[in-house]
mmCIF file of all heavy atoms in Angstrom:
data_model
loop_
_atom_site.group_PDB
_atom_site.id
_atom_site.type_symbol
_atom_site.label_atom_id
_atom_site.label_comp_id
_atom_site.label_asym_id
_atom_site.label_seq_id
_atom_site.Cartn_x
_atom_site.Cartn_y
_atom_site.Cartn_z
ATOM 1 N N SER S 218 105.122 99.647 82.079
ATOM 2 C CA SER S 218 105.750 98.889 83.165
ATOM 3 C C SER S 218 106.512 99.804 84.111
ATOM 4 O O SER S 218 106.389 99.720 85.331
ATOM 5 C CB SER S 218 106.703 97.824 82.612
ATOM 6 O OG SER S 218 106.060 96.934 81.803
ATOM 7 N N LEU S 219 107.289 100.706 83.545
ATOM 8 C CA LEU S 219 108.034 101.648 84.358
ATOM 9 C C LEU S 219 107.106 102.587 85.123
ATOM 10 O O LEU S 219 107.344 102.914 86.299
ATOM 11 C CB LEU S 219 109.001 102.463 83.496
ATOM 12 C CG LEU S 219 110.136 101.674 82.808
ATOM 13 C CD1 LEU S 219 110.955 102.591 81.930
ATOM 14 C CD2 LEU S 219 111.001 101.011 83.868
ATOM 15 N N PHE S 220 106.028 103.003 84.476
ATOM 16 C CA PHE S 220 105.069 103.893 85.121
ATOM 17 C C PHE S 220 104.377 103.183 86.301
ATOM 18 O O PHE S 220 104.215 103.786 87.364
ATOM 19 C CB PHE S 220 104.031 104.323 84.082
ATOM 20 C CG PHE S 220 102.979 105.225 84.637
ATOM 21 C CD1 PHE S 220 103.287 106.517 85.012
ATOM 22 C CD2 PHE S 220 101.669 104.785 84.801
ATOM 23 C CE1 PHE S 220 102.339 107.352 85.528
ATOM 24 C CE2 PHE S 220 100.717 105.627 85.314
ATOM 25 C CZ PHE S 220 101.049 106.933 85.678
ATOM 26 N N LEU S 221 104.069 101.909 86.147
ATOM 27 C CA LEU S 221 103.436 101.172 87.250
ATOM 28 C C LEU S 221 104.398 101.029 88.416
ATOM 29 O O LEU S 221 103.979 101.088 89.580
ATOM 30 C CB LEU S 221 102.942 99.800 86.758
ATOM 31 C CG LEU S 221 101.625 99.831 85.986
ATOM 32 C CD1 LEU S 221 101.375 98.478 85.350
ATOM 33 C CD2 LEU S 221 100.497 100.241 86.892
ATOM 34 N N ILE S 222 105.654 100.793 88.132
ATOM 35 C CA ILE S 222 106.653 100.688 89.207
ATOM 36 C C ILE S 222 106.719 102.020 89.963
ATOM 37 O O ILE S 222 106.769 102.055 91.203
ATOM 38 C CB ILE S 222 108.018 100.274 88.644
ATOM 39 C CG1 ILE S 222 107.961 98.850 88.147
ATOM 40 C CG2 ILE S 222 109.105 100.469 89.677
ATOM 41 C CD1 ILE S 222 109.159 98.398 87.348
ATOM 42 N N LEU S 223 106.737 103.124 89.245
ATOM 43 C CA LEU S 223 106.775 104.451 89.889
ATOM 44 C C LEU S 223 105.546 104.681 90.742
ATOM 45 O O LEU S 223 105.634 105.153 91.870
ATOM 46 C CB LEU S 223 106.883 105.535 88.824
ATOM 47 C CG LEU S 223 106.811 106.979 89.321
ATOM 48 C CD1 LEU S 223 108.079 107.298 90.123
ATOM 49 C CD2 LEU S 223 106.637 107.928 88.186
ATOM 50 N N ILE S 224 104.378 104.326 90.248
ATOM 51 C CA ILE S 224 103.118 104.515 91.008
ATOM 52 C C ILE S 224 103.146 103.673 92.265
ATOM 53 O O ILE S 224 102.700 104.120 93.303
ATOM 54 C CB ILE S 224 101.918 104.169 90.123
ATOM 55 C CG1 ILE S 224 101.773 105.160 89.036
ATOM 56 C CG2 ILE S 224 100.673 104.008 90.939
ATOM 57 C CD1 ILE S 224 100.557 105.968 89.030
ATOM 58 N N ILE S 225 103.677 102.469 92.164
ATOM 59 C CA ILE S 225 103.714 101.602 93.366
ATOM 60 C C ILE S 225 104.625 102.215 94.413
ATOM 61 O O ILE S 225 104.313 102.189 95.593
ATOM 62 C CB ILE S 225 104.158 100.171 92.967
ATOM 63 C CG1 ILE S 225 103.012 99.510 92.189
ATOM 64 C CG2 ILE S 225 104.544 99.357 94.203
ATOM 65 C CD1 ILE S 225 103.413 98.219 91.530
ATOM 66 N N PHE S 226 105.724 102.808 94.005
ATOM 67 C CA PHE S 226 106.617 103.456 94.951
ATOM 68 C C PHE S 226 105.960 104.692 95.579
ATOM 69 O O PHE S 226 106.188 104.992 96.751
ATOM 70 C CB PHE S 226 107.949 103.838 94.321
ATOM 71 C CG PHE S 226 108.930 102.718 94.283
ATOM 72 C CD1 PHE S 226 109.521 102.353 93.085
ATOM 73 C CD2 PHE S 226 109.273 102.009 95.413
ATOM 74 C CE1 PHE S 226 110.417 101.322 93.019
ATOM 75 C CE2 PHE S 226 110.166 100.957 95.380
ATOM 76 C CZ PHE S 226 110.768 100.615 94.184
ATOM 77 N N LEU S 227 105.154 105.404 94.827
ATOM 78 C CA LEU S 227 104.458 106.565 95.377
ATOM 79 C C LEU S 227 103.415 106.158 96.402
ATOM 80 O O LEU S 227 103.062 106.930 97.292
ATOM 81 C CB LEU S 227 103.794 107.378 94.283
ATOM 82 C CG LEU S 227 104.706 108.235 93.439
ATOM 83 C CD1 LEU S 227 103.910 108.878 92.310
ATOM 84 C CD2 LEU S 227 105.367 109.296 94.284
ATOM 85 N N ARG S 228 102.885 104.942 96.278
ATOM 86 C CA ARG S 228 101.852 104.470 97.194
ATOM 87 C C ARG S 228 102.412 103.775 98.414
ATOM 88 O O ARG S 228 101.638 103.195 99.178
ATOM 89 C CB ARG S 228 100.922 103.511 96.446
ATOM 90 C CG ARG S 228 100.149 104.223 95.359
ATOM 91 C CD ARG S 228 99.223 103.267 94.742
ATOM 92 N NE ARG S 228 98.437 102.643 95.791
ATOM 93 C CZ ARG S 228 97.364 101.956 95.608
ATOM 94 N NH1 ARG S 228 96.935 101.781 94.406
ATOM 95 N NH2 ARG S 228 96.714 101.419 96.587
ATOM 96 N N MET S 229 103.706 103.777 98.626
ATOM 97 C CA MET S 229 104.302 103.114 99.761
ATOM 98 C C MET S 229 103.763 103.739 101.052
ATOM 99 O O MET S 229 103.505 104.928 101.123
ATOM 100 C CB MET S 229 105.824 103.243 99.751
ATOM 101 C CG MET S 229 106.385 102.620 98.498
ATOM 102 S SD MET S 229 107.755 101.553 98.599
ATOM 103 C CE MET S 229 107.881 100.932 100.165
ATOM 104 N N PRO S 230 103.616 102.929 102.106
ATOM 105 C CA PRO S 230 103.092 103.473 103.374
ATOM 106 C C PRO S 230 104.001 104.541 103.953
ATOM 107 O O PRO S 230 105.211 104.461 103.847
ATOM 108 C CB PRO S 230 103.034 102.259 104.300
ATOM 109 C CG PRO S 230 103.518 101.096 103.546
ATOM 110 C CD PRO S 230 103.881 101.552 102.166
ATOM 111 N N GLN S 231 103.377 105.539 104.580
ATOM 112 C CA GLN S 231 104.145 106.645 105.121
ATOM 113 C C GLN S 231 104.976 106.249 106.322
ATOM 114 O O GLN S 231 105.950 106.902 106.642
ATOM 115 C CB GLN S 231 103.205 107.786 105.513
ATOM 116 C CG GLN S 231 102.400 108.271 104.348
ATOM 117 C CD GLN S 231 102.603 109.717 104.089
ATOM 118 O OE1 GLN S 231 103.101 110.422 104.928
ATOM 119 N NE2 GLN S 231 102.201 110.159 102.938
ATOM 120 N N GLU S 232 104.607 105.188 107.023
ATOM 121 C CA GLU S 232 105.368 104.794 108.220
ATOM 122 C C GLU S 232 106.573 103.921 107.901
ATOM 123 O O GLU S 232 107.238 103.408 108.790
ATOM 124 C CB GLU S 232 104.476 104.094 109.231
ATOM 125 C CG GLU S 232 103.793 102.866 108.727
ATOM 126 C CD GLU S 232 102.476 103.126 108.068
ATOM 127 O OE1 GLU S 232 102.001 104.269 108.065
ATOM 128 O OE2 GLU S 232 101.878 102.200 107.505
ATOM 129 N N ASN S 233 106.869 103.733 106.624
ATOM 130 C CA ASN S 233 108.034 102.954 106.224
ATOM 131 C C ASN S 233 109.304 103.725 106.584
ATOM 132 O O ASN S 233 109.547 104.802 106.072
ATOM 133 C CB ASN S 233 107.974 102.659 104.737
ATOM 134 C CG ASN S 233 108.991 101.634 104.305
ATOM 135 O OD1 ASN S 233 109.921 101.338 105.028
ATOM 136 N ND2 ASN S 233 108.784 101.095 103.121
ATOM 137 N N ILE S 234 110.124 103.159 107.458
ATOM 138 C CA ILE S 234 111.288 103.874 107.960
ATOM 139 C C ILE S 234 112.390 104.001 106.906
ATOM 140 O O ILE S 234 113.009 105.042 106.749
ATOM 141 C CB ILE S 234 111.842 103.153 109.214
ATOM 142 C CG1 ILE S 234 110.807 103.205 110.328
ATOM 143 C CG2 ILE S 234 113.141 103.772 109.689
ATOM 144 C CD1 ILE S 234 111.129 102.327 111.514
ATOM 145 N N GLY S 235 112.618 102.950 106.147
ATOM 146 C CA GLY S 235 113.685 102.963 105.162
ATOM 147 C C GLY S 235 113.511 103.999 104.053
ATOM 148 O O GLY S 235 114.473 104.526 103.547
ATOM 149 N N LEU S 236 112.294 104.258 103.675
ATOM 150 C CA LEU S 236 112.030 105.220 102.588
ATOM 151 C C LEU S 236 111.182 106.394 103.079
ATOM 152 O O LEU S 236 110.397 106.945 102.335
ATOM 153 C CB LEU S 236 111.290 104.512 101.443
ATOM 154 C CG LEU S 236 112.074 103.377 100.747
ATOM 155 C CD1 LEU S 236 111.166 102.667 99.786
ATOM 156 C CD2 LEU S 236 113.248 103.952 100.025
ATOM 157 N N SER S 237 111.394 106.802 104.296
ATOM 158 C CA SER S 237 110.520 107.828 104.875
ATOM 159 C C SER S 237 110.607 109.159 104.127
ATOM 160 O O SER S 237 109.624 109.845 103.956
ATOM 161 C CB SER S 237 110.850 108.046 106.355
ATOM 162 O OG SER S 237 112.193 108.487 106.495
ATOM 163 N N SER S 238 111.799 109.531 103.651
ATOM 164 C CA SER S 238 111.887 110.785 102.919
ATOM 165 C C SER S 238 111.200 110.677 101.573
ATOM 166 O O SER S 238 110.646 111.635 101.083
ATOM 167 C CB SER S 238 113.342 111.203 102.771
ATOM 168 O OG SER S 238 114.052 110.249 102.012
ATOM 169 N N PHE S 239 111.271 109.491 100.949
ATOM 170 C CA PHE S 239 110.646 109.304 99.655
ATOM 171 C C PHE S 239 109.126 109.187 99.789
ATOM 172 O O PHE S 239 108.378 109.681 98.963
ATOM 173 C CB PHE S 239 111.203 108.060 98.973
ATOM 174 C CG PHE S 239 110.637 107.831 97.589
ATOM 175 C CD1 PHE S 239 111.010 108.652 96.558
ATOM 176 C CD2 PHE S 239 109.742 106.812 97.362
ATOM 177 C CE1 PHE S 239 110.505 108.466 95.288
ATOM 178 C CE2 PHE S 239 109.223 106.606 96.090
ATOM 179 C CZ PHE S 239 109.615 107.432 95.069
ATOM 180 N N ALA S 240 108.639 108.552 100.861
ATOM 181 C CA ALA S 240 107.215 108.332 101.056
ATOM 182 C C ALA S 240 106.489 109.638 101.280
ATOM 183 O O ALA S 240 105.330 109.768 100.939
ATOM 184 C CB ALA S 240 106.993 107.380 102.228
ATOM 185 N N ASN S 241 107.152 110.638 101.860
ATOM 186 C CA ASN S 241 106.485 111.906 102.096
ATOM 187 C C ASN S 241 106.396 112.786 100.866
ATOM 188 O O ASN S 241 105.800 113.842 100.900
ATOM 189 C CB ASN S 241 107.225 112.675 103.209
ATOM 190 C CG ASN S 241 107.043 112.010 104.580
ATOM 191 O OD1 ASN S 241 106.008 111.375 104.814
ATOM 192 N ND2 ASN S 241 108.027 112.145 105.430
ATOM 193 N N LYS S 242 106.962 112.352 99.765
ATOM 194 C CA LYS S 242 106.916 113.116 98.534
ATOM 195 C C LYS S 242 105.493 113.188 97.977
ATOM 196 O O LYS S 242 105.197 114.082 97.214
ATOM 197 C CB LYS S 242 107.825 112.502 97.463
ATOM 198 C CG LYS S 242 109.282 112.496 97.849
ATOM 199 C CD LYS S 242 109.916 113.791 97.536
ATOM 200 C CE LYS S 242 111.410 113.652 97.813
ATOM 201 N NZ LYS S 242 112.098 114.844 97.947
ATOM 202 N N SER S 243 104.600 112.273 98.367
ATOM 203 C CA SER S 243 103.250 112.301 97.851
ATOM 204 C C SER S 243 102.461 113.468 98.389
ATOM 205 O O SER S 243 101.401 113.794 97.863
ATOM 206 C CB SER S 243 102.530 110.989 98.149
ATOM 207 O OG SER S 243 102.380 110.851 99.534
ATOM 208 N N ASP S 244 102.979 114.154 99.412
ATOM 209 C CA ASP S 244 102.276 115.330 99.938
ATOM 210 C C ASP S 244 102.301 116.499 98.970
ATOM 211 O O ASP S 244 101.514 117.422 99.101
ATOM 212 C CB ASP S 244 102.919 115.759 101.250
ATOM 213 C CG ASP S 244 102.673 114.752 102.368
ATOM 214 O OD1 ASP S 244 101.726 113.953 102.216
ATOM 215 O OD2 ASP S 244 103.440 114.761 103.353
ATOM 216 N N ILE S 245 103.184 116.474 97.975
ATOM 217 C CA ILE S 245 103.242 117.564 97.025
ATOM 218 C C ILE S 245 102.045 117.596 96.094
ATOM 219 O O ILE S 245 101.780 118.593 95.465
ATOM 220 C CB ILE S 245 104.557 117.524 96.198
ATOM 221 C CG1 ILE S 245 104.604 116.259 95.332
ATOM 222 C CG2 ILE S 245 105.766 117.642 97.078
ATOM 223 C CD1 ILE S 245 105.746 116.247 94.349
ATOM 224 N N PHE S 246 101.305 116.489 96.012
ATOM 225 C CA PHE S 246 100.146 116.424 95.125
ATOM 226 C C PHE S 246 98.875 117.007 95.738
ATOM 227 O O PHE S 246 97.886 117.156 95.053
ATOM 228 C CB PHE S 246 99.860 114.972 94.721
ATOM 229 C CG PHE S 246 100.968 114.368 93.923
ATOM 230 C CD1 PHE S 246 101.594 113.224 94.373
ATOM 231 C CD2 PHE S 246 101.357 114.911 92.732
ATOM 232 C CE1 PHE S 246 102.608 112.649 93.628
ATOM 233 C CE2 PHE S 246 102.387 114.356 91.998
ATOM 234 C CZ PHE S 246 103.002 113.217 92.447
ATOM 235 N N GLY S 247 98.876 117.314 96.999
ATOM 236 C CA GLY S 247 97.661 117.842 97.657
ATOM 237 C C GLY S 247 97.407 117.109 98.921
ATOM 238 O O GLY S 247 98.319 116.564 99.559
ATOM 239 N N SER S 248 96.148 117.066 99.338
ATOM 240 C CA SER S 248 95.821 116.387 100.575
ATOM 241 C C SER S 248 96.022 114.877 100.393
ATOM 242 O O SER S 248 95.873 114.357 99.305
ATOM 243 C CB SER S 248 94.352 116.679 100.961
ATOM 244 O OG SER S 248 93.474 116.065 100.053
ATOM 245 N N PRO S 249 96.364 114.198 101.493
ATOM 246 C CA PRO S 249 96.648 112.757 101.368
ATOM 247 C C PRO S 249 95.452 111.925 100.852
ATOM 248 O O PRO S 249 95.652 110.989 100.093
ATOM 249 C CB PRO S 249 96.987 112.350 102.791
ATOM 250 C CG PRO S 249 97.451 113.580 103.463
ATOM 251 C CD PRO S 249 96.675 114.712 102.806
ATOM 252 N N SER S 250 94.236 112.301 101.230
ATOM 253 C CA SER S 250 93.093 111.516 100.770
ATOM 254 C C SER S 250 92.853 111.676 99.278
ATOM 255 O O SER S 250 92.563 110.715 98.570
ATOM 256 C CB SER S 250 91.834 111.878 101.551
ATOM 257 O OG SER S 250 91.490 113.226 101.308
ATOM 258 N N SER S 251 92.989 112.891 98.748
ATOM 259 C CA SER S 251 92.803 113.095 97.317
ATOM 260 C C SER S 251 93.963 112.479 96.527
ATOM 261 O O SER S 251 93.761 111.985 95.441
ATOM 262 C CB SER S 251 92.641 114.587 97.000
ATOM 263 O OG SER S 251 93.842 115.285 97.234
ATOM 264 N N THR S 252 95.141 112.535 97.108
ATOM 265 C CA THR S 252 96.297 111.904 96.472
ATOM 266 C C THR S 252 96.106 110.408 96.361
ATOM 267 O O THR S 252 96.325 109.797 95.307
ATOM 268 C CB THR S 252 97.579 112.211 97.243
ATOM 269 O OG1 THR S 252 97.764 113.608 97.323
ATOM 270 C CG2 THR S 252 98.798 111.577 96.582
ATOM 271 N N GLN S 253 95.656 109.800 97.437
ATOM 272 C CA GLN S 253 95.448 108.339 97.472
ATOM 273 C C GLN S 253 94.352 107.963 96.486
ATOM 274 O O GLN S 253 94.470 106.975 95.744
ATOM 275 C CB GLN S 253 95.079 107.895 98.867
ATOM 276 C CG GLN S 253 95.047 106.406 99.057
ATOM 277 C CD GLN S 253 96.425 105.802 98.926
ATOM 278 O OE1 GLN S 253 97.437 106.442 99.191
ATOM 279 N NE2 GLN S 253 96.495 104.571 98.493
ATOM 280 N N ARG S 254 93.277 108.724 96.412
ATOM 281 C CA ARG S 254 92.191 108.441 95.506
ATOM 282 C C ARG S 254 92.655 108.563 94.042
ATOM 283 O O ARG S 254 92.337 107.702 93.216
ATOM 284 C CB ARG S 254 91.017 109.374 95.789
ATOM 285 C CG ARG S 254 89.765 109.058 95.039
ATOM 286 C CD ARG S 254 88.578 109.884 95.494
ATOM 287 N NE ARG S 254 88.841 111.299 95.626
ATOM 288 C CZ ARG S 254 88.848 111.957 96.781
ATOM 289 N NH1 ARG S 254 88.554 111.337 97.918
ATOM 290 N NH2 ARG S 254 89.095 113.246 96.847
ATOM 291 N N THR S 255 93.441 109.589 93.760
ATOM 292 C CA THR S 255 93.937 109.783 92.389
ATOM 293 C C THR S 255 94.887 108.661 92.013
ATOM 294 O O THR S 255 94.830 108.121 90.885
ATOM 295 C CB THR S 255 94.643 111.138 92.284
ATOM 296 O OG1 THR S 255 93.742 112.174 92.660
ATOM 297 C CG2 THR S 255 95.139 111.392 90.859
#
C-alpha cells in the first residue's frame, strides 16, 4: 500500500505547480519516456 502511494506520487504530472520540485524528481531515473514506461 505504501509502495503504491509512492509510485502514484512519482507519476504526478510535471506541470503541477504545487509539487513542481517533487514532480521533477523522476528525471533522476533516466529519460522521461523510459521512466514512464518503467
Side-chain angles (χ1 to χ4, degrees):
S218 299
L219 295 177
F220 180 70
L221 282 170
I222 291 170
L223 176 69
I224 291 243
I225 289 169
F226 277 126
L227 284 175
R228 294 184 52 166
M229 300 227 22
Q231 301 238 344
E232 59 271 355
N233 192 344
I234 296 170
L236 297 172
S237 61
S238 63
F239 183 72
N241 290 331
K242 298 275 186 198
S243 64
D244 292 340
I245 63 172
F246 296 122
S248 70
S250 63
S251 67
T252 302
Q253 190 67 27
R254 188 172 46 247
T255 303

